[in-house]
Amino acid sequence: MSIQEANDVNDETYMKMALGLARPTLGQTSPNPAVGAVLVKNNEIIGMGAHLKAGEPHAERHALSMAGKKAGGAVMYVTLEPCAHFGRTPPCAKALIEAGVAKVVIGAKDPDERVSGRGIRMLKAAGIEVEEGVCEEEALELNRMFFHSVTSRTPYVTLKTASSLDGKIATHKGESKWITGEKAREDVHRLRHTHDAILVGVNTVIADNPSLTVRLPGGGKNPVRIILDNHLRTPADAGMLHDRQAPVWIITGENGNKEKKAALEAAGAEVMTLAGDAVLIEPLLELLGESGIRSLLVEGGGSVNDSFLRSGLFNQIIVYLAPILIGGKEARSSFSGLGIGRLEDTAKLTIKTTETIGDDLKITAVREEN
Ligand SMILES: Nc1c(/N=C/[C@H](O)[C@H](O)[C@H](O)COP(=O)(O)O)[nH]c(=O)[nH]c1=O
Ligand SMILES: Nc1c(N[C@@H]2O[C@H](COP(=O)(O)O)[C@@H](O)[C@H]2O)[nH]c(=O)[nH]c1=O
Ligand SMILES: [Zn+2]
């Protein structure tokens, strides 16, 4: 970096630094957003911080406590509008006023109705200069799952598939381990870490007996494990019921066998019953939203993916493609079931990123409308 570049420090520089502090905390702060803060005075950084865990101090407080008395007259760069309510922690807007900061620069406003503009109004009423929307795109992108779940009261839904180049998730003989490589599978665990819950269909439980835990080198936060199981076919000896690594919620229809329900509850699962014979995606997402799930990772298999596809109720899809060809009309694809009949009804996506992970390709595509 040249001296000139080094001197070219501005609002964006500090906001990008705050975003850099927040990004690695994605997942661990849930159900709170990931937030970063940098406190600057006379072009010197005098405090910084990130929100680390729900219930613990917010990012602004960490930065303020690092600066102590020097905070008076300083500029606070924070990726999210300072909160104005007493949740599990006192309001940051109040702390900023008491610390006597001169200016607050904000990335994105907070849609939580307890805040959404109130924090900004409090700061301005106390005579503090407020600038909004610095690196706003990045700040909105960072917490897109939080913002979606706060405004829609349903989880942000990520579909994840892992297949051969020709879209197969198993050979016609049923072999599926493994299609994607070690690095891609590790990336999936990072994806799990950033989601509150992970959902699979009962066929995947029967076929793979998955643990659905986060097994990263440094550990990680295990999401709630959800099994879509209309008729309670989940084996009572399924591994995830007995590993005590994370809750298991089994979502079933009203005709689920009562004895089976008792057996699964005895095995430690929570069985939640929705009206109707088959679980529909819309009431499922409302139930999960009410149960505090802000982000849901759907790991298939094919028929569950088809249900989400036909309901249209998903926000992004992440596809891992392995450089192999499997073929065979009997071989299972990422999406089975009925699928979409008319091209005009297909989900219109925008490809956000493509990256190579080990020998595999990872494509992230989002749906703009919801
Ligand atoms: N077969 C493949 C996958 N298979 C995904 C299936 O959902 C399978 O149940 C889970 O991977 C098992 O979960 P756990 O490791 O026990 O937690 N997923 C992948 O990313 N690549 C593949 O090759
Ligand atoms: N994490 C975070 C904020 N999170 C905001 O506060 C709410 C949680 O409040 P509480 O229960 O008290 O932790 C959360 O829903 C979101 O609206 N706000 C901020 O000023 N800075 C932070 O670092
Ligand atoms: Zn706060």
Short mmCIF file of all heavy atoms in Angstrom, two decimals, residues 157-201:
data_model
loop_
_atom_site.label_atom_id
_atom_site.label_comp_id
_atom_site.label_asym_id
_atom_site.label_seq_id
_atom_site.Cartn_x
_atom_site.Cartn_y
_atom_site.Cartn_z
N VAL A 157 -34.87 -18.86 4.20
CA VAL A 157 -34.68 -20.27 3.80
C VAL A 157 -33.58 -20.41 2.76
O VAL A 157 -33.62 -19.78 1.69
CB VAL A 157 -36.00 -20.85 3.24
CG1 VAL A 157 -35.78 -22.28 2.74
CG2 VAL A 157 -37.08 -20.82 4.32
N THR A 158 -32.59 -21.22 3.10
CA THR A 158 -31.51 -21.56 2.17
C THR A 158 -31.67 -23.02 1.77
O THR A 158 -31.73 -23.90 2.63
CB THR A 158 -30.13 -21.42 2.87
OG1 THR A 158 -29.95 -20.07 3.30
CG2 THR A 158 -28.99 -21.79 1.92
N LEU A 159 -31.81 -23.27 0.45
CA LEU A 159 -31.78 -24.66 -0.03
C LEU A 159 -30.32 -24.98 -0.33
O LEU A 159 -29.60 -24.15 -0.87
CB LEU A 159 -32.61 -24.80 -1.31
CG LEU A 159 -34.09 -24.39 -1.25
CD1 LEU A 159 -34.77 -24.70 -2.58
CD2 LEU A 159 -34.81 -25.06 -0.10
N LYS A 160 -29.88 -26.17 0.01
CA LYS A 160 -28.50 -26.57 -0.29
C LYS A 160 -28.56 -27.93 -0.99
O LYS A 160 -29.22 -28.85 -0.52
CB LYS A 160 -27.67 -26.69 1.00
CG LYS A 160 -26.32 -27.37 0.81
CD LYS A 160 -26.37 -28.83 1.23
CE LYS A 160 -25.16 -29.63 0.80
NZ LYS A 160 -25.29 -31.05 1.16
N THR A 161 -27.91 -28.00 -2.16
CA THR A 161 -27.84 -29.32 -2.82
C THR A 161 -26.37 -29.60 -3.13
O THR A 161 -25.59 -28.68 -3.34
CB THR A 161 -28.64 -29.35 -4.14
OG1 THR A 161 -28.00 -28.47 -5.07
CG2 THR A 161 -30.08 -28.92 -3.93
N ALA A 162 -26.04 -30.89 -3.17
CA ALA A 162 -24.69 -31.31 -3.53
C ALA A 162 -24.86 -32.45 -4.52
O ALA A 162 -25.51 -33.45 -4.20
CB ALA A 162 -23.94 -31.80 -2.31
N SER A 163 -24.35 -32.25 -5.72
CA SER A 163 -24.63 -33.25 -6.76
C SER A 163 -23.49 -33.33 -7.76
O SER A 163 -22.55 -32.54 -7.75
CB SER A 163 -25.91 -32.85 -7.50
OG SER A 163 -25.64 -31.69 -8.28
N SER A 164 -23.61 -34.30 -8.66
CA SER A 164 -22.70 -34.42 -9.80
C SER A 164 -23.03 -33.28 -10.77
O SER A 164 -24.04 -32.59 -10.60
CB SER A 164 -22.95 -35.76 -10.49
OG SER A 164 -24.33 -35.82 -10.89
N LEU A 165 -22.22 -33.09 -11.80
CA LEU A 165 -22.48 -32.04 -12.78
C LEU A 165 -23.86 -32.23 -13.41
O LEU A 165 -24.51 -31.27 -13.80
CB LEU A 165 -21.41 -32.04 -13.88
CG LEU A 165 -20.05 -31.38 -13.55
CD1 LEU A 165 -19.20 -31.28 -14.80
CD2 LEU A 165 -20.26 -29.98 -12.96
N ASP A 166 -24.28 -33.51 -13.52
CA ASP A 166 -25.60 -33.75 -14.14
C ASP A 166 -26.71 -33.81 -13.07
O ASP A 166 -27.75 -34.43 -13.28
CB ASP A 166 -25.58 -35.00 -15.02
CG ASP A 166 -25.15 -36.26 -14.25
OD1 ASP A 166 -24.25 -36.14 -13.38
OD2 ASP A 166 -25.72 -37.33 -14.49
N GLY A 167 -26.46 -33.23 -11.90
CA GLY A 167 -27.53 -33.02 -10.91
C GLY A 167 -27.96 -34.25 -10.13
O GLY A 167 -29.04 -34.26 -9.54
N LYS A 168 -27.14 -35.26 -10.10
CA LYS A 168 -27.51 -36.50 -9.38
C LYS A 168 -26.96 -36.47 -7.94
O LYS A 168 -25.81 -36.10 -7.73
CB LYS A 168 -26.95 -37.73 -10.10
CG LYS A 168 -27.46 -37.87 -11.54
CD LYS A 168 -28.95 -38.12 -11.57
CE LYS A 168 -29.46 -38.36 -12.99
NZ LYS A 168 -30.93 -38.52 -13.00
N ILE A 169 -27.78 -36.90 -6.98
CA ILE A 169 -27.32 -36.94 -5.58
C ILE A 169 -26.99 -38.37 -5.16
O ILE A 169 -26.59 -38.61 -4.03
CB ILE A 169 -28.36 -36.33 -4.61
CG1 ILE A 169 -29.70 -37.05 -4.70
CG2 ILE A 169 -28.52 -34.84 -4.89
CD1 ILE A 169 -30.70 -36.58 -3.63
N ALA A 170 -27.18 -39.33 -6.05
CA ALA A 170 -26.80 -40.72 -5.76
C ALA A 170 -26.80 -41.48 -7.09
O ALA A 170 -27.41 -41.03 -8.07
CB ALA A 170 -27.81 -41.35 -4.80
N THR A 171 -26.13 -42.62 -7.11
CA THR A 171 -26.14 -43.44 -8.33
C THR A 171 -27.43 -44.27 -8.33
O THR A 171 -28.16 -44.30 -7.33
CB THR A 171 -24.97 -44.45 -8.30
OG1 THR A 171 -25.24 -45.40 -7.24
CG2 THR A 171 -23.65 -43.74 -8.02
N HIS A 172 -27.70 -44.92 -9.45
CA HIS A 172 -28.96 -45.71 -9.48
C HIS A 172 -28.87 -46.88 -8.49
O HIS A 172 -29.87 -47.45 -8.09
CB HIS A 172 -29.29 -46.19 -10.91
CG HIS A 172 -28.35 -47.19 -11.46
ND1 HIS A 172 -28.47 -48.55 -11.20
CD2 HIS A 172 -27.26 -47.07 -12.25
CE1 HIS A 172 -27.50 -49.20 -11.81
NE2 HIS A 172 -26.74 -48.33 -12.45
N LYS A 173 -27.62 -47.20 -8.03
CA LYS A 173 -27.51 -48.25 -7.00
C LYS A 173 -27.67 -47.65 -5.60
O LYS A 173 -27.52 -48.32 -4.59
CB LYS A 173 -26.14 -48.93 -7.11
CG LYS A 173 -25.94 -49.83 -8.34
CD LYS A 173 -24.58 -50.54 -8.22
CE LYS A 173 -24.16 -51.34 -9.44
NZ LYS A 173 -25.09 -52.31 -9.95
N GLY A 174 -27.88 -46.33 -5.52
CA GLY A 174 -28.11 -45.70 -4.22
C GLY A 174 -26.84 -45.20 -3.55
O GLY A 174 -26.86 -44.69 -2.43
N GLU A 175 -25.71 -45.33 -4.23
CA GLU A 175 -24.45 -44.85 -3.61
C GLU A 175 -24.40 -43.32 -3.63
O GLU A 175 -24.70 -42.70 -4.65
CB GLU A 175 -23.24 -45.37 -4.41
CG GLU A 175 -22.78 -46.73 -3.98
CD GLU A 175 -21.49 -47.12 -4.71
OE1 GLU A 175 -20.72 -46.22 -5.10
OE2 GLU A 175 -21.31 -48.33 -4.92
N SER A 176 -24.02 -42.72 -2.48
CA SER A 176 -23.93 -41.24 -2.46
C SER A 176 -22.73 -40.74 -1.68
O SER A 176 -22.52 -39.54 -1.57
CB SER A 176 -25.21 -40.68 -1.82
OG SER A 176 -25.21 -41.03 -0.44
N LYS A 177 -21.98 -41.64 -1.08
CA LYS A 177 -20.87 -41.15 -0.26
C LYS A 177 -19.55 -41.44 -0.92
O LYS A 177 -19.25 -42.61 -1.15
CB LYS A 177 -20.96 -41.80 1.13
CG LYS A 177 -22.23 -41.37 1.87
CD LYS A 177 -21.96 -41.18 3.30
CE LYS A 177 -23.08 -40.63 4.17
NZ LYS A 177 -24.40 -40.40 3.68
N TRP A 178 -18.68 -40.38 -1.28
CA TRP A 178 -19.19 -39.02 -1.28
C TRP A 178 -19.15 -38.50 -2.70
O TRP A 178 -18.29 -38.89 -3.46
CB TRP A 178 -18.32 -38.14 -0.36
CG TRP A 178 -18.47 -38.49 1.08
CD1 TRP A 178 -17.68 -39.33 1.81
CD2 TRP A 178 -19.49 -38.00 1.97
NE1 TRP A 178 -18.14 -39.41 3.10
CE2 TRP A 178 -19.26 -38.60 3.22
CE3 TRP A 178 -20.57 -37.12 1.85
CZ2 TRP A 178 -20.07 -38.35 4.33
CZ3 TRP A 178 -21.35 -36.90 2.94
CH2 TRP A 178 -21.10 -37.50 4.16
N ILE A 179 -20.02 -37.59 -2.97
CA ILE A 179 -20.04 -36.98 -4.30
C ILE A 179 -19.12 -35.76 -4.31
O ILE A 179 -18.21 -35.64 -5.10
CB ILE A 179 -21.49 -36.62 -4.70
CG1 ILE A 179 -22.27 -37.93 -4.86
CG2 ILE A 179 -21.53 -35.76 -5.95
CD1 ILE A 179 -23.74 -37.78 -5.06
N THR A 180 -19.35 -34.84 -3.35
CA THR A 180 -18.46 -33.66 -3.28
C THR A 180 -17.30 -33.98 -2.33
O THR A 180 -17.40 -34.88 -1.50
CB THR A 180 -19.21 -32.44 -2.73
OG1 THR A 180 -19.81 -32.80 -1.48
CG2 THR A 180 -20.28 -31.97 -3.70
N GLY A 181 -16.24 -33.22 -2.49
CA GLY A 181 -15.01 -33.50 -1.76
C GLY A 181 -15.01 -32.96 -0.33
O GLY A 181 -15.96 -32.30 0.09
N GLU A 182 -13.94 -33.26 0.37
CA GLU A 182 -13.74 -32.89 1.78
C GLU A 182 -13.95 -31.39 2.01
O GLU A 182 -14.70 -30.97 2.89
CB GLU A 182 -12.28 -33.28 2.13
CG GLU A 182 -11.95 -33.28 3.61
CD GLU A 182 -12.71 -34.35 4.39
OE1 GLU A 182 -12.97 -35.43 3.84
OE2 GLU A 182 -13.11 -34.05 5.52
N LYS A 183 -13.34 -30.57 1.16
CA LYS A 183 -13.40 -29.11 1.36
C LYS A 183 -14.83 -28.59 1.21
O LYS A 183 -15.29 -27.77 1.99
CB LYS A 183 -12.49 -28.41 0.31
CG LYS A 183 -11.00 -28.60 0.54
CD LYS A 183 -10.31 -27.24 0.71
CE LYS A 183 -8.81 -27.37 1.00
NZ LYS A 183 -8.56 -28.26 2.17
N ALA A 184 -15.54 -29.12 0.21
CA ALA A 184 -16.92 -28.68 -0.01
C ALA A 184 -17.79 -29.11 1.17
O ALA A 184 -18.64 -28.36 1.65
CB ALA A 184 -17.47 -29.25 -1.31
N ARG A 185 -17.53 -30.31 1.67
CA ARG A 185 -18.35 -30.80 2.80
C ARG A 185 -18.04 -29.98 4.04
O ARG A 185 -18.94 -29.67 4.83
CB ARG A 185 -18.10 -32.30 3.01
CG ARG A 185 -18.63 -33.13 1.85
CD ARG A 185 -18.96 -34.55 2.26
NE ARG A 185 -17.87 -35.19 2.95
CZ ARG A 185 -16.87 -35.82 2.33
NH1 ARG A 185 -16.80 -35.83 1.01
NH2 ARG A 185 -15.92 -36.40 3.02
N GLU A 186 -16.78 -29.53 4.18
CA GLU A 186 -16.43 -28.67 5.33
C GLU A 186 -17.14 -27.32 5.17
O GLU A 186 -17.68 -26.77 6.13
CB GLU A 186 -14.92 -28.46 5.39
CG GLU A 186 -14.50 -27.71 6.67
CD GLU A 186 -13.00 -27.50 6.79
OE1 GLU A 186 -12.25 -28.48 6.58
OE2 GLU A 186 -12.59 -26.36 7.08
N ASP A 187 -17.23 -26.85 3.93
CA ASP A 187 -17.92 -25.56 3.69
C ASP A 187 -19.40 -25.68 4.08
O ASP A 187 -19.99 -24.74 4.60
CB ASP A 187 -17.80 -25.21 2.19
CG ASP A 187 -18.18 -23.77 1.93
OD1 ASP A 187 -17.45 -22.86 2.36
OD2 ASP A 187 -19.25 -23.56 1.32
N VAL A 188 -19.96 -26.86 3.86
CA VAL A 188 -21.38 -27.08 4.25
C VAL A 188 -21.51 -26.94 5.77
O VAL A 188 -22.47 -26.38 6.27
CB VAL A 188 -21.86 -28.47 3.79
CG1 VAL A 188 -23.22 -28.81 4.39
CG2 VAL A 188 -21.92 -28.54 2.28
N HIS A 189 -20.50 -27.39 6.49
CA HIS A 189 -20.58 -27.28 7.96
C HIS A 189 -20.52 -25.82 8.40
O HIS A 189 -21.18 -25.42 9.35
CB HIS A 189 -19.45 -28.11 8.60
CG HIS A 189 -19.78 -29.58 8.60
ND1 HIS A 189 -19.77 -30.36 9.72
CD2 HIS A 189 -20.17 -30.39 7.60
CE1 HIS A 189 -20.14 -31.60 9.41
NE2 HIS A 189 -20.39 -31.63 8.13
N ARG A 190 -19.76 -25.01 7.63
CA ARG A 190 -19.74 -23.57 7.95
C ARG A 190 -21.11 -22.96 7.66
O ARG A 190 -21.61 -22.14 8.42
CB ARG A 190 -18.66 -22.85 7.10
CG ARG A 190 -17.60 -22.14 7.97
CD ARG A 190 -16.69 -21.30 7.14
NE ARG A 190 -16.03 -22.07 6.08
CZ ARG A 190 -15.07 -22.95 6.27
NH1 ARG A 190 -14.63 -23.14 7.50
NH2 ARG A 190 -14.53 -23.62 5.29
N LEU A 191 -21.75 -23.46 6.62
CA LEU A 191 -23.10 -23.01 6.26
C LEU A 191 -24.07 -23.38 7.38
O LEU A 191 -24.91 -22.58 7.80
CB LEU A 191 -23.50 -23.71 4.96
CG LEU A 191 -24.61 -23.19 4.11
CD1 LEU A 191 -24.37 -21.74 3.72
CD2 LEU A 191 -24.80 -24.07 2.89
N ARG A 192 -23.92 -24.57 7.92
CA ARG A 192 -24.80 -25.01 9.01
C ARG A 192 -24.62 -24.09 10.23
O ARG A 192 -25.57 -23.68 10.88
CB ARG A 192 -24.46 -26.45 9.42
CG ARG A 192 -24.83 -27.49 8.37
CD ARG A 192 -24.41 -28.88 8.81
NE ARG A 192 -24.83 -29.87 7.82
CZ ARG A 192 -24.56 -31.17 7.94
NH1 ARG A 192 -23.85 -31.62 8.98
NH2 ARG A 192 -24.96 -32.03 7.03
N HIS A 193 -23.34 -23.72 10.49
CA HIS A 193 -23.02 -22.89 11.66
C HIS A 193 -23.75 -21.55 11.60
O HIS A 193 -24.11 -20.99 12.62
CB HIS A 193 -21.50 -22.68 11.70
CG HIS A 193 -21.01 -21.68 12.68
ND1 HIS A 193 -20.96 -21.91 14.05
CD2 HIS A 193 -20.58 -20.41 12.51
CE1 HIS A 193 -20.49 -20.84 14.66
NE2 HIS A 193 -20.25 -19.92 13.76
N THR A 194 -23.96 -21.04 10.34
CA THR A 194 -24.57 -19.69 10.25
C THR A 194 -26.10 -19.74 10.23
O THR A 194 -26.74 -18.72 10.10
CB THR A 194 -24.12 -18.97 8.95
OG1 THR A 194 -24.51 -19.79 7.84
CG2 THR A 194 -22.63 -18.75 8.94
N HIS A 195 -26.66 -20.95 10.32
CA HIS A 195 -28.13 -21.07 10.31
C HIS A 195 -28.63 -21.57 11.67
O HIS A 195 -27.97 -22.37 12.33
CB HIS A 195 -28.58 -22.05 9.20
CG HIS A 195 -28.51 -21.45 7.82
ND1 HIS A 195 -27.32 -21.24 7.16
CD2 HIS A 195 -29.48 -20.99 6.98
CE1 HIS A 195 -27.55 -20.70 5.97
NE2 HIS A 195 -28.85 -20.52 5.84
N ASP A 196 -29.83 -21.08 12.05
CA ASP A 196 -30.40 -21.48 13.36
C ASP A 196 -30.89 -22.93 13.34
O ASP A 196 -30.92 -23.59 14.37
CB ASP A 196 -31.61 -20.59 13.70
CG ASP A 196 -31.21 -19.17 14.02
OD1 ASP A 196 -30.00 -18.93 14.23
OD2 ASP A 196 -32.09 -18.29 14.02
N ALA A 197 -31.35 -23.39 12.16
CA ALA A 197 -31.90 -24.76 12.09
C ALA A 197 -31.58 -25.37 10.73
O ALA A 197 -31.31 -24.67 9.76
CB ALA A 197 -33.43 -24.70 12.27
N ILE A 198 -31.56 -26.69 10.71
CA ILE A 198 -31.28 -27.44 9.50
C ILE A 198 -32.42 -28.44 9.33
O ILE A 198 -32.87 -29.03 10.31
CB ILE A 198 -29.90 -28.13 9.62
CG1 ILE A 198 -29.55 -28.91 8.39
CG2 ILE A 198 -29.79 -28.98 10.85
CD1 ILE A 198 -28.09 -29.35 8.38
N LEU A 199 -32.93 -28.59 8.12
CA LEU A 199 -34.10 -29.44 7.90
C LEU A 199 -33.79 -30.50 6.84
O LEU A 199 -33.21 -30.19 5.80
CB LEU A 199 -35.29 -28.58 7.45
CG LEU A 199 -36.62 -29.29 7.21
CD1 LEU A 199 -37.79 -28.41 7.63
CD2 LEU A 199 -36.80 -29.75 5.77
N VAL A 200 -34.18 -31.74 7.16
CA VAL A 200 -34.11 -32.80 6.13
C VAL A 200 -35.42 -33.57 6.15
O VAL A 200 -36.18 -33.50 7.12
CB VAL A 200 -32.95 -33.80 6.40
CG1 VAL A 200 -31.60 -33.15 6.17
CG2 VAL A 200 -33.05 -34.42 7.78
N GLY A 201 -35.67 -34.30 5.10
CA GLY A 201 -36.87 -35.15 5.03
C GLY A 201 -36.57 -36.49 5.70
O GLY A 201 -35.41 -36.89 5.84
#
